[in-house]
Amino acid sequence: MAETTLTETMLAEVLAELAELEDPKIRKVNEKHGDDHGVNLSKLRALAKRLKTQQELARQLWETDDTAARLLAMLICRPKAFARDELDAMLREARTPKVHDWLVNYVVKNNPHFEELRLAWFADPDPVVASAGWALTTERVAKKPEGLDLAGLLDVIEAEMKGAPDRLQWAMNHCLAQIGIEHAEHRARAIAIGERLEVLKDYPTSPGCTSPFAPIWIGEMVRRQHA
């Protein structure tokens, strides 16, 4: 009982601190990308570093449905402590792109149910959920490609990427680029698919950054590998 009260007190204190970190200018910029929070991410990471790992607090922060609180939860949780169904529910509740992205990259990728969730999400009819399945598949393309049908993935990308909703299209494009970067035997086909579909060809890219247009992305990363 005392422990519950202690966690509730800490939750209130952390939420108050997050409220103090809120910056209207940052919120305005984030809202253009669909992220409804105004907390500087460097300050959020500094707060997480101070709090250290606290799984119960992380769960309570998630339950607030507040974007900044959920981002903090991703930084202080124990990724391996979440059950498969818990992570599935969390992904479906992740309203904003940043929360979705951090949940996949910081938590699910480090969870023992990674492969089971990858397969389930990959085949999900919800394009946002499916985009998480593609993100996990891209991780495997890069780090553990054994058992993946890379040619089959390219078939799906070639047939479906052009007409896919934004988040799913972005994830499929990343997978296309990763196949081309990591697997020389599929590189020519990956580049050809990118050139034919022209997905993200005109995406505005800041100076010094690599274009997400797959043929340029593949070419630049391969060049760096050989530099």
Side-chain angles (χ1 to χ4, degrees), residues 15-60:
L15 291 175
E17 190 161 351
L18 286 173
E20 285 176 20
L21 292 173
E22 176 76 20
D23 182 331
K25 290 178 184 173
I26 293 175
R27 177 176 283 270
K28 194 173 179 182
V29 172
N30 286 335
E31 282 180 343
K32 290 178 183 175
H33 306 291
D35 290 308
D36 55 352
H37 79 92
V39 178
N40 177 289
L41 294 182
S42 295
K43 291 180 179 177
L44 190 77
R45 291 180 190 281
L47 174 56
K49 192 174 181 182
R50 203 173 77 234
L51 289 170
K52 299 189 173 65
T53 303
Q54 297 194 52
Q55 181 66 8
E56 187 52 41
L57 178 59
R59 282 198 166 101
Q60 292 197 1

Side-chain angles (χ1 to χ4, degrees), residues 148-159:
L148 285 181
D149 178 7
L150 298 178
L153 287 172
L154 290 175
D155 289 343
V156 177
I157 291 166
E158 190 167 22

Side-chain angles (χ1 to χ4, degrees), residues 25-124:
K25 290 178 184 173
I26 293 175
R27 177 176 283 270
K28 194 173 179 182
V29 172
N30 286 335
E31 282 180 343
K32 290 178 183 175
H33 306 291
D35 290 308
D36 55 352
H37 79 92
V39 178
N40 177 289
L41 294 182
S42 295
K43 291 180 179 177
L44 190 77
R45 291 180 190 281
L47 174 56
K49 192 174 181 182
R50 203 173 77 234
L51 289 170
K52 299 189 173 65
T53 303
Q54 297 194 52
Q55 181 66 8
E56 187 52 41
L57 178 59
R59 282 198 166 101
Q60 292 197 1
L61 285 165
W62 181 272
E63 289 300 321
T64 65
D65 193 28
D66 175 80
T67 294
R70 283 184 163 182
L71 292 174
L72 181 61
M74 300 299 93
L75 296 175
I76 67 167
C77 73
R78 278 199 305 278
K80 290 182 172 65
F82 291 102
R84 179 217 178 278
D85 290 348
E86 191 175 10
L87 288 174
D88 183 69
M90 288 168 74
L91 186 84
R92 294 171 195 279
E93 294 166 7
R95 297 177 294 99
T96 68
K98 184 67 77 178
V99 170
H100 179 279
D101 183 52
W102 283 23
L103 178 63
V104 171
N105 286 294
Y106 295 172
V107 183
V108 182
K109 284 183 180 178
N110 297 299
N111 181 274
H113 302 290
F114 173 107
E115 184 62 13
E116 194 181 344
L117 288 168
R118 182 186 77 82
L119 292 168
W121 290 343
F122 190 87
D124 200 277

Side-chain angles (χ1 to χ4, degrees), residues 177-184 187 191 215-227:
Q178 205 70 54
I179 291 171
I181 292 162
E182 301 289 345
H183 301 279
R187 188 168 297 147
I191 291 171
I216 295 175
W217 191 355
I218 293 166
E220 175 60 20
M221 297 311 289
V222 172
R223 183 191 68 76
R224 288 185 199 177
Q225 286 174 358
H226 292 105

